[in-house]
Each structure stands twice: as C-alpha cells, then as structure tokens.
Amino acid sequence: MKKPNEMTIVEAAKKLRAKEFSVRELWDACAAAAHAQNPELNAFLEIFDAEQADIEAAQRRIDREGDTAPPLCGIPLAIKDNILIEGKVASAASKILENYRAPYSATVIEKLKAQNALFVGRTNMDEFGMGASTENSAFGPTKNPRDTSRVPGGSSGGSAASVAAHLALGGYGTDTGGSCRQPSAYCGVVGFKPTYGAVSRYGIIALGSSLDQVGELANSVADARILFDAIQGHDPLDATTLPDKLYEVSQTPKRFRVGVPQHLLEGVEPDVRAAFDTTLNRLRDAGHEVVDITLPTSKYALPVYYIVLPAEASTNLARYDGMRYGLAKRLPAQAGGKTLLDDYVETRAAGFGDEPKRRILIGTFVLSAGYVDAYYRKAEAARVLLRREYDEAFKKADVIAFPTTPSPAFKFGAKSDPVAMYLEDVFTVTANLTGMPAISVPMGEVEREGKKLPVGIHFTAPHQAEERLFRIASAVY
Ligand code: GLN
C-alpha cells in the first residue's frame, strides 16, 4: 500500500476526507521522508518545523467542510526558494540573500495559506533561477532521485526532486525559460508553465520580468491543474496579471490537431525521438491528428532569450548592492578611501556566483548605448516575429508538440561550458518569449549506463488555453 506522502494530491485529498489518515499523519509522512532523504538529495535548503496551529486549522476545515474544502487544504507542498513566505528566509540560492527574511508573503503564498495548504520547506535552485541543472546553487547541487549521479535539471530542481521523491505532494517553482518543465522531464514528473500574467509575480524574486511565471510540479496532470487553479487570477499588486478566469474551457476541442515541427528535431537523441514518436502514435490511436508545422524563426529563440533574459536580469539584480537587501560587505575602516562604490563592488563580488556575474555583464553590454540597437532591440523585434509565427501555427494546430529536452538528465559537471548549459533550453524558452502556456509530461524512459531515465513531451498552447494543455497531457500521462 502507498504511504500517504506517495499519493497524488487528488488521492490524498480523498483519503483525508474519508478519514483514512489525518492531516497530521500526512504532514509527518512528508516531513519524515524529507528529513530522511534530504541529506542525500539536497532538494530542500530548509525543511520547516511542523506548524501545529496550521495543521489543526487544516484538519478542522476538512472536518467541517468535507468535499467543499479546497483541494489543497492540508496538503504539504514544496516552495522554491525565490517565492517569499513571510518570516522565512528567501535566498534564491544566492549568498547575497543568504540571510534575507521575507517581510511579507508573495500573493501565491497568501492564496495557498487561505486554502490551508502546508509548506514542507523551501527548495534548492540555480542561483536566481539561472541554470538548467541546479548546479549553480550557492548551497550545493540537488541530486536527481532517479539517478543520484545525475542532475535533476533546473532551475527548479529542488521542487522537481522533492515531488519526484515524494517529500511533498506537489511543488511550486518559477519558469523563466523552462525552469519548471525541464527539471520535471528529468525527474519524471509533470511540469507546467501558465500563460504570462495568469499568476501574480508579486513577492517572487525577479529574474526576467517579461518572462517569469510561477509554475507547478506535480505527480499527475490533475494535480498540476489543482496547483495552478489555486494560485491563478488577477492581482491588483501585479499590473501584468490578466483579468480573472479568461482561460478558455468551453471552446476546447475534444480531438486535437497536434502540430509537430519536424525540422526542429534534428538534435534529439535517437531513443528520445523514438519515445516521442511512440507517444504521437498513442495520441493518433486516441483519435487526435498529428500535423506538420514549420516554425522557421524558432532557430533564433535561444539567442534571443540569452539577450533578453540577461538584459532584464542585469536590471533586476542591480538592487542587490549591499545597501538594501541581504549581504553587505564593507571594506575595513583602516583600508581608507572607503566609498559607496567600494561597498557595491565588494558586496557584489562576494555575493554573486559566476553565472549571475556572467549574465549581469552580458545584460549590461546588450543594453549599453552603443549596442542596444544591435542586440537588445533586435532581440525584441525577433520576439515579435516569433510570437506571430506561433499565432500563425495555431491556425493549423490546437497544440504544438516536441520533446521537452533533446536528451535525458546528464551527469554532474557534464555541462560545465555555459553555452552547453544554455543549449538545454532550446525547446522550452519559446513559450516564455511568446508568453504562451506550456506543459511537460513524462513520455517514457530511455536507458543510460544501465539506468532507466525519464523523458518528457512538451506541449504549447495559445495564450490562456491552458485547458487544452491539461486535456492533451491527460491523454499521454
Ligand atoms: N535554464 C534557463 C536559464 O538558465 C531557464 C531558467 C529559468 O526558467 N528560471 O535561464
């Protein structure tokens, strides 16, 4: 029999209401698993103590409201370390914020608390969300629960690993270029990125403000949907959020035209390609149609992303200057000649890891007066073309499919060249550049060195058509 922490949210919510176990028992099962496995996995940067009052409040609500209690009531969740929880440290896995305590909660956290969800801990990530393996964390990498010699993906690697290892029933991450979907594919769970603006970014430590969305990591598609529903909606504190409940439900077709850009699949490893083709055949058998589409501008998506993202990141990271947040390094008084600039330089040199420094340099360069036209403005123009091309493709297809990644999880250190790491995002960044919703679901396994490793299929839908993604993903997983 499954332990309470091994259940999906849907299963656990049912058992809680049937009194087969209590909220306390569910919490204890997750906390015990987290404490037992975290020394090896390093999925959590901090496992929270049980909050007796919160556990009791959730139990009372389930007892009182039964089926009408929110589905996340009493459910222990994993929260990425860049999502603010009042009173808790939120470090974005950076030394510069190592001791930063959030003075308020993100809107998504307020919403979850209102539903009496519980938080197991804050999860490891690539520093500020920069990376695709969680190796860029200032606090050591997370290991992939499916093969601990391999990365869990990133940047939401801690959330993906904790959900895959059943240390929490569901998780939240952020997805700026693939950070929920790619680690989900590597850990064998469902990863979802909503439409830009579907979820409030208030209280999220910003990376790329025009790209960032809070996303979900789950053990089933139904769970991903519950996690999304719980946090989506307009927020007066985030002017980029969309009006409430605009996403289409009624017009969603039953049978889909699944658009596949064959020309983009060249670099996909043969057995990943085979798993993808098998999955497409399963979709055909279920009555869906697979159609060819072309997305010629997509080959520019990665270079465009690696101009736009560093530009926005360099701006967002300017606030960590030793004056306001977290780490403040001062030159010793006796050094003399201490200036404000010295404080900035000392703090940023000591506080940021290599990848944030690299991106601050690139971002500052592409925004500089001499180069802004050549790089940043061109990238923004290409972004418009990319979006138009996708809008066009959605006339022929209801969803667009490709493998989430060209290969399964790689070994630690295998992508020490930054550009090799950037190539990890080749399939995922477009959904962020266009603001479209996207999902990754497990599509099978491939073997590497005698171990079976999960791989994912990725679907993109038009803005606010998340319903299509939940439906097509349910046909796969
Ligand atoms: N891997 C991508 C990057 O390094 C995506 C990061 C993210 O989505 N936060 O920028």
Side-chain angles (χ1 to χ4, degrees):
M1 214 181 82
K2 274 190 192 171
K3 294 190 195 133
N5 59 303
E6 291 167 357
M7 296 186 179
T8 63
I9 294 170
V10 172
E11 287 164 349
K14 219 183 263 165
K15 304 254 180 204
L16 284 172
R17 282 154 186 77
K19 309 254 173 281
E20 289 184 34
F21 49 75
S22 65
V23 174
R24 180 81 219 191
E25 285 163 333
L26 177 58
W27 169 272
D28 285 347
C30 287
H35 282 291
Q37 292 189 51
N38 207 52
E40 164 81 350
L41 295 179
N42 198 27
F44 287 104
L45 294 177
E46 181 183 354
I47 299 169
F48 299 143
D49 292 333
E51 300 276 0
Q52 195 49 34
D54 294 345
I55 292 170
E56 281 169 13
Q59 186 66 58
R60 274 199 305 277
R61 186 159 181 188
I62 288 171
D63 295 345
R64 196 173 60 235
E65 297 177 20
D67 284 343
T68 58
L72 291 183
C73 184
I75 301 291
L77 302 172
I79 308 292
K80 191 175 180 178
D81 193 34
N82 59 354
I83 302 177
L84 269 49
I85 306 177
E86 188 183 342
K88 306 276 189 211
V89 170
S91 77
S94 179
K95 288 259 180 242
I96 212 159
L97 287 175
E98 188 170 8
N99 299 312
Y100 171 71
R101 263 182 208 279
Y104 64 93
S105 285
T107 296
V108 298
I109 295 296
E110 293 292 355
K111 287 190 182 216
L112 293 170
K113 283 186 175 170
Q115 294 164 58
N116 296 89
L118 304 173
F119 309 128
V120 180
R122 53 188 179 92
T123 56
N124 201 7
M125 56 185 282
D126 287 298
E127 187 173 356
F128 286 104
M130 298 179 183
S133 68
T134 317
E135 291 170 291
N136 290 340
S137 167
F139 307 110
T142 297
K143 292 182 182 165
N144 190 322
R146 299 286 296 258
D147 176 350
T148 51
S149 69
R150 288 172 192 271
V151 303
S155 66
S156 311
S159 288
S162 66
V163 171
H166 305 288
L167 317 182
L169 271 67
Y172 288 100
T174 52
D175 192 313
T176 305
S179 278
C180 286
R181 292 160 284 151
Q182 184 257 15
S184 297
Y186 281 4
C187 292
V189 299
V190 178
F192 185 63
K193 182 202 87 82
T195 305
Y196 181 79
V199 178
S200 170
R201 290 180 294 113
Y202 181 73
I204 310 301
I205 298 176
L207 173 58
S209 302
S210 76
L211 305 156
D212 294 343
Q213 264 298 278
V214 176
E216 294 73 18
L217 301 103
N219 277 312
S220 75
V221 175
D223 284 4
R225 179 193 206 125
I226 288 172
L227 291 164
F228 168 63
D229 273 335
I231 59 164
Q232 60 93 22
H234 179 69
D235 180 9
L237 296 171
D238 175 0
T240 62
T241 48
L242 298 162
D244 275 333
K245 287 274 177 200
L246 254 182
Y247 62 96
E248 55 166 278
V249 175
S250 51
Q251 313 98 294
T252 303
K254 288 246 159 12
R255 302 213 184 289
F256 287 89
R257 293 165 303 164
V258 180
V260 178
Q262 294 288 350
H263 65 104
L264 290 180
L265 305 183
E266 254 169 40
V268 176
E269 290 184 6
D271 49 0
V272 179
R273 181 68 192 261
F276 179 66
D277 290 338
T278 307
T279 310
L280 292 181
N281 280 334
R282 280 177 49 211
L283 289 174
R284 281 194 195 94
D285 291 345
H288 303 291
E289 188 190 345
V290 176
V291 297
D292 265 339
I293 54 161
T294 50
L295 299 165
T297 312
S298 278
K299 62 172 178 287
Y300 301 116
L302 204 61
V304 167
Y305 174 82
Y306 277 100
I307 292 171
V308 173
L309 182 280
E312 295 187 9
S314 70
T315 312
N316 277 323
L317 267 51
R319 74 192 67 168
Y320 307 109
D321 56 6
M323 299 294 121
R324 283 169 277 237
Y325 304 96
L327 186 72
K329 280 258 179 225
R330 306 267 159 104
L331 288 176
Q334 66 270 25
K338 187 164 85 71
T339 65
L340 188 59
L341 185 62
D342 288 335
D343 288 350
Y344 292 163
V345 170
E346 286 274 296
T347 300
R348 291 165 72 81
F352 287 132
D354 287 348
E355 190 57 29
K357 283 178 185 157
R358 189 175 294 121
R359 295 203 195 185
I360 289 167
L361 289 174
I362 297 171
T364 309
F365 175 77
V366 300
L367 290 174
S368 61
Y371 292 98
V372 68
D373 287 328
Y375 293 104
Y376 181 73
R377 294 224 168 89
K378 254 210 190 115
E380 283 296 332
R383 201 173 167 181
V384 174
L385 291 180
L386 203 56
R387 180 157 167 185
R388 265 192 221 144
E389 190 170 285
Y390 264 69
D391 286 341
E392 237 2 82
F394 282 124
K395 291 182 183 156
K396 287 202 212 119
D398 301 300
V399 292
I400 293 172
F402 33 75
T404 311
T405 55
S407 42
F410 51 91
K411 295 252 182 185
F412 288 101
K415 312 250 162 155
S416 50
D417 167 15
V419 176
M421 190 70 85
Y422 299 168
L423 285 168
E424 274 296 295
D425 308 322
V426 62
F427 289 134
T428 50
V429 293
T430 310
N432 303 79
L433 289 169
T434 60
M436 289 165 181
I439 195 165
S440 171
V441 278
M443 65 167 178
E445 291 171 333
V446 295
E447 204 173 303
R448 293 286 178 282
E449 298 179 352
K451 285 235 164 101
K452 291 213 186 306
L453 302 172
V455 283
I457 184 169
H458 183 282
F459 297 101
T460 315
H463 291 100
Q464 295 182 295
E466 6 277 290
E467 182 65 24
R468 288 189 200 178
L469 296 178
F470 294 130
R471 290 215 196 153
I472 193 74
S474 307
V476 174
Y477 186 69

